[in-house]
Amino acid sequence: MTACVPPRVLRVHNPVLRGKALLLLPEGLLVRWPDRVPLPALGEAFSGVAVSVPMHLREAVHCLLFGPSPLARCDAAKRLAESKLDRRRILLRIFSRPYIQQLLASAERLDPELRAQIEARGGLVPIRRLTRAAYGPTLAHQLKRARL
């Protein structure tokens, strides 16, 4: 019988996101760590959520976590959610189900014209407003809900 070897922290993303501890494997990249808790040393055993990310999805996961805009993060979540296995194995281990549903709703339901307007303004609309706008039945309702 083999013992389970805990993953090790090999690199730390700068800046580290606040929240429950999250390590991306196989590179051992620490991307999220609780506030007011000292960071683990490099090479130290990791205890928390470790997510194994295949090579072809690494860019999408990095965009999901550190994307330049909320729209880019929503689109990255949509790319990861295309496969049920990736959704379960990666997305649901990184974020909660309700938050993922908000990201996916924003990626799938926003009117293309509204998306263009948001991107023209730099794309810095909070995800909460994007989600609220995504559930508007028409472009006019979406614009009003997005408060652009």
Side-chain angles (χ1 to χ4, degrees):
M1 191 179 253
T2 61
C4 183
V5 178
R8 302 220 174 258
V9 176
L10 302 177
R11 293 182 11 218
V12 177
H13 188 275
N14 187 15
V16 173
L17 300 172
R18 294 182 196 169
K20 291 173 53 177
L22 177 64
L23 185 75
L24 300 181
L25 298 174
E27 63 260 356
L29 178 64
L30 182 67
V31 293
R32 197 167 56 200
W33 192 252
D35 220 9
R36 297 188 207 117
V37 176
L39 284 171
L42 294 181
E44 189 174 316
F46 176 78
S47 63
V49 176
V51 178
S52 182
V53 181
M55 182 63 91
H56 68 281
L57 294 175
R58 286 188 187 151
E59 180 185 336
V61 170
H62 284 276
C63 187
L64 174 68
L65 292 168
F66 308 106
S69 72
L71 268 179
R73 294 178 64 209
C74 294
D75 292 338
K78 183 178 177 182
R79 283 193 308 268
L80 289 167
E82 288 172 351
S83 162
K84 284 187 179 183
L85 178 64
D86 293 334
R87 181 186 291 213
R88 196 171 48 244
R89 190 180 65 191
I90 298 172
L91 270 180
L92 290 172
R93 298 201 58 194
I94 293 176
F95 291 125
S96 67
R97 184 176 303 275
Y99 189 69
I100 292 168
Q101 289 171 338
Q102 289 179 0
L103 293 170
L104 294 176
S106 298
E108 295 168 354
R109 296 173 143 235
L110 283 177
D111 190 276
E113 187 175 322
L114 176 59
R115 287 179 71 91
Q117 287 185 22
I118 291 171
E119 288 171 358
R121 293 179 179 215
L124 300 178
V125 175
I127 289 176
R128 186 176 300 155
R129 271 201 284 166
L130 286 176
T131 303
R132 193 176 357 188
Y135 285 102
T138 64
L139 175 60
H141 283 97
Q142 287 186 1
L143 284 168
K144 184 177 178 182
R145 288 178 175 197
R147 288 189 265 148
L148 292 182

